[in-house]
Amino acid sequence: MDLIPAPRNAVPDGDGRRYAFGPRPALVVGPGAEGVARWLRRELGAATGWELPDADPGARGDVRLTVDPQRAGGAGPEAYRLDIGADGVELTGASAAGLFWGAQTLRQLLGPDAYRRAPLPDRTWSLPYAAIDDAPRFGWRGMMLDIARHFLPKDGVLRYIDLLVAHKLNVLHLHLTDDQGWRVEIKRRPKLTETGAWRSRSRLGHRASPLWNETPHGGFLSQDDIREIVAYAAERHVRVVPEIDLPGHSQAAIAAYPELGNADVVDTAALEVWDDWGISENVLAPTEAVLRFYEGVFEELLELFPAQVSPFVHVGGDECPKVQWKASPAAQARIAELGVDGEDGLQSWFIRHFDRWLAARGRRLVGWDEILEDGAGADPRAAGSGEGLSAVGLGKGAVVSSWRGYAGGVAAAEAGHDVVMCPEQQVYLDHRQAGGPDEPMPIGYVRSLADVYRFEPVPPKLSPEAAAHVLGAQANVWSEVMENQSRVDYQVFPRLAAFAEVVWSTLPEPESRDHVGFEARMVAHYARLDALGVDYRPPGGPLPWQRRPGVLGRPIEGEPPIV
């Protein structure tokens, strides 16, 4: 049946029979299924021309939507069951979310033209007789989208929510701030977007490239844009996780409000939004005033991302150079006042503060795996255990995004923290897809479609108790060398389809996975992506307009280490 991700159990009809829809199919909508019915009428209605009215009282209807946890299989709230036979379609979800994921399977079975926005002439619609029961392996099935380095406007973000949904992914992590731009409106701090959302030019390619795009770049999401995005995602059972980076990756904020920086060692009033890639040394000053500033930012952010749909808030916490703190008399005095262990202790102090602050407001802090490092600069990844975590003082609700490899996630999970696995060596989709010379701006290790398909979120070394703390995984999409939506599409697809199967389906060990079978199912999936207008990388390599000849990347040769 060429479904992606592969369902847990699917029994097709041995005789190849199909249920043929008439010109005016009708729905029977049970309690709790109203949102899925609206989605079907809007999305399938656009592609097929169907109105999908409610069936007449007592009529069976062509598609029957029910929320019933027991009938859906009892495999968790996102489980569903789909039965297609002579009397039409019975779709049952354990919850509205499970019903919604079942609707995605229904759409796939209708064929690629079900993804179009207007009906094509002379199309008839039918479904194969089948019985499918399905449920996801993980509750956190996500993608991180960096709109700070290169801005993606609201319509592009909404489009990516729909693309996540088509692959049964349910988390969109939005990277909203960095050295190169601040992308969310904060009304009490208007300069964050008046100044911080714009840079004068951009490096073209990797930071070693001598080329520049001299066109000013910028943009931001208004608060109403954010509300729209959150509501749009919630209707589609996607959680949006906002990220406001601190105490590093903050030059755009300092350019807007120079008092946020270490003004005793740097002329912060002369700083601009950074036009280069990499890690800026301009970091936040460790002052109470800076804490109050960011508390105000988060107060507005929490209003935009309600707890019932976005309980997690990401604070970054990674890649914070200590050069300015070492040179700053004010920072050194702060170290003595707080009694922390040097400059590394200041970074932990920032994270601890916002962990407590967010927890007091019913939210859970998420941070990159550097948030595990103790005040003495010890890296718990080296120990492979919980050793060194107590000094950080993170609450048990804090979640670790394990990006530098698996080891940070292993250490966090063994210490009782929930973990999202996103190791850069495996699932950073800005990394190149092949080793050929035509890959545009090649970054990092080669991570092919097959490589991503063999990604395993739960390392075998984890104890069963620790493995239960792996919420799931996400693929990260950093946009330094992705200057527009087409470039994002090229890097993300088709690999996101492989990632989606890894986090949804229960697959064998990586070396035993049927990649040949997966690629065979991808033939139909490429047609779906074509109908959706996705500018994916073709299996044969980049098309002429997808290449970027002469623009330097940063390729790394060999197999990535498992760390």
Side-chain angles (χ1 to χ4, degrees):
M1 287 187 283
D2 294 331
L3 294 172
I4 291 178
R8 184 173 58 172
N9 293 301
V11 181
D13 177 65
D15 297 327
R17 293 174 293 178
R18 300 183 70 87
Y19 179 79
F21 288 96
R24 287 182 55 82
L27 300 180
V28 174
V29 182
E34 297 85 358
V36 175
R38 283 195 302 273
W39 183 88
L40 286 170
R41 287 170 174 140
R42 183 170 53 243
E43 300 298 331
L44 287 189
T48 61
W50 296 339
E51 294 180 2
L52 294 172
D54 288 334
D56 294 332
R60 66 185 173 105
D62 296 89
V63 179
R64 299 174 293 281
L65 306 174
T66 307
V67 174
D68 184 338
Q70 290 187 329
R71 191 173 189 284
E78 294 184 283
Y80 69 89
R81 181 174 177 86
L82 177 61
D83 293 288
I84 306 166
D87 62 348
V89 179
E90 189 83 35
L91 178 55
T92 306
S95 67
L99 192 71
F100 185 69
W101 303 129
Q104 307 315 309
T105 299
L106 175 66
R107 191 184 195 185
Q108 285 197 12
L109 291 172
L110 282 169
D113 288 339
Y115 291 84
R116 297 191 180 275
R117 296 186 181 182
L120 299 178
D122 304 320
R123 290 296 190 273
T124 59
W125 301 93
S126 65
L127 289 170
Y129 285 17
I132 298 171
D133 69 86
D134 199 8
R137 180 185 178 193
F138 293 108
W140 187 300
R141 309 180 301 279
M143 188 184 90
M144 189 286 301
L145 183 60
D146 170 21
I147 65 170
R149 272 54 174 271
H150 278 106
F151 179 59
L152 193 65
K154 178 194 70 176
D155 287 351
V157 176
L158 296 176
R159 174 178 177 267
Y160 257 86
I161 292 171
D162 284 332
L163 292 175
L164 296 185
V165 160
H167 295 82
K168 297 189 176 75
L169 298 174
N170 67 345
V171 175
L172 175 63
H173 169 180
L174 271 184
H175 185 72
L176 292 167
T177 72
D178 217 296
D179 298 311
Q180 297 85 4
W182 184 285
R183 307 295 178 210
V184 56
E185 178 188 25
I186 302 298
K187 290 187 180 295
R188 72 187 71 180
R189 301 294 185 182
K191 291 180 183 178
L192 286 172
T193 45
E194 290 171 1
T195 298
W198 308 92
R199 62 175 181 264
S200 60
R201 62 176 186 170
S202 305
R203 177 84 67 176
L204 189 57
H206 182 254
R207 58 182 176 272
S209 169
L211 304 176
W212 293 87
N213 180 346
E214 297 291 346
T215 303
H217 179 83
F220 64 93
L221 299 171
S222 72
Q223 294 203 351
D224 283 343
D225 290 340
I226 293 288
R227 292 185 181 98
E228 180 181 353
I229 287 167
V230 170
Y232 190 89
E235 186 182 18
R236 289 154 179 80
H237 303 279
V238 171
R239 173 182 296 143
V240 184
V241 177
E243 180 181 352
I244 302 293
D245 219 332
L246 60 85
H249 288 288
S250 298
Q251 184 166 326
I254 298 168
Y257 291 92
E259 64 270 24
L260 297 176
N262 297 283
D264 56 342
V265 293
V266 133
D267 182 5
T268 55
L271 290 177
E272 298 180 346
V273 177
W274 208 23
D275 60 9
D276 211 347
W277 313 129
I279 307 169
S280 171
E281 292 183 353
N282 292 296
V283 302
L284 298 176
T287 67
E288 291 294 324
V290 168
L291 295 185
R292 300 293 89 75
F293 183 101
Y294 273 84
E295 287 171 359
V297 168
F298 282 118
E299 283 172 359
E300 291 195 25
L301 201 75
L302 297 191
E303 292 178 1
L304 300 173
F305 294 87
Q308 61 269 29
V309 294
S310 295
F312 299 94
V313 176
H314 207 295
V315 301
D318 62 320
E319 297 178 327
C320 180
K322 313 299 193 300
V323 175
Q324 292 182 1
W325 289 348
K326 289 179 185 294
S328 165
Q332 293 301 308
R334 190 67 163 150
I335 288 170
E337 177 187 350
L338 294 170
V340 297
D341 290 328
E343 294 78 22
D344 291 316
L346 287 180
Q347 183 172 351
S348 297
W349 170 76
F350 268 105
I351 302 304
R352 287 197 308 271
H353 175 84
F354 284 103
D355 182 28
R356 293 191 297 267
W357 190 92
L358 289 166
R361 289 154 181 81
R363 305 303 179 98
R364 297 182 67 183
L365 176 142
V366 190
W368 303 111
D369 56 51
E370 285 95 329
I371 69 172
L372 294 172
E373 295 174 5
D374 67 21
D379 186 346
R381 298 179 305 154
S385 69
E387 182 180 344
L389 296 181
S390 60
V392 178
L394 289 175
K396 286 298 184 182
V399 179
V400 173
S401 301
S402 188
W403 76 273
R404 291 180 292 180
Y406 288 102
V410 170
E414 295 287 2
H417 288 285
D418 286 342
V419 173
V420 176
M421 287 293 188
C422 48
E424 64 170 328
Q425 301 88 351
Q426 310 298 324
V427 289
Y428 268 34
L429 299 187
D430 47 308
H431 285 201
R432 58 195 173 130
Q433 304 187 60
D438 289 333
E439 291 302 312
M441 300 187 233
I443 299 295
Y445 295 101
V446 171
R447 292 290 84 193
S448 67
L449 184 68
D451 292 326
V452 174
Y453 192 65
R454 295 187 181 102
F455 165 60
E456 172 50 49
V458 181
K461 69 169 73 173
L462 275 182
S463 67
E465 295 79 12
H469 283 289
V470 179
L471 301 178
Q474 67 184 34
N476 290 343
V477 183
W478 299 103
S479 67
E480 288 95 331
V481 297
M482 300 179 213
E483 71 275 18
N484 54 38
Q485 178 176 281
S486 176
R487 281 285 294 121
V488 175
D489 279 3
Y490 179 90
Q491 292 299 133
V492 169
F493 290 100
R495 292 182 295 179
L496 194 70
F499 175 82
E501 184 146 312
V502 166
V503 292
W504 177 279
S505 306
T506 301
L507 300 175
E509 293 300 310
E511 60 274 9
S512 302
R513 292 179 187 171
D514 182 12
H515 183 257
V516 173
F518 174 76
E519 285 198 323
R521 285 182 283 125
M522 278 299 298
V523 173
H525 200 67
Y526 285 123
R528 296 177 193 126
L529 295 178
D530 285 331
L532 285 164
V534 176
D535 199 7
Y536 58 86
R537 181 190 187 275
L543 298 168
W545 61 85
Q546 294 173 322
R547 300 168 187 158
R548 297 292 187 275
V551 183
L552 288 179
R554 185 183 58 89
I556 304 174
E557 301 303 331
E559 284 293 311
I562 304 298
V563 293

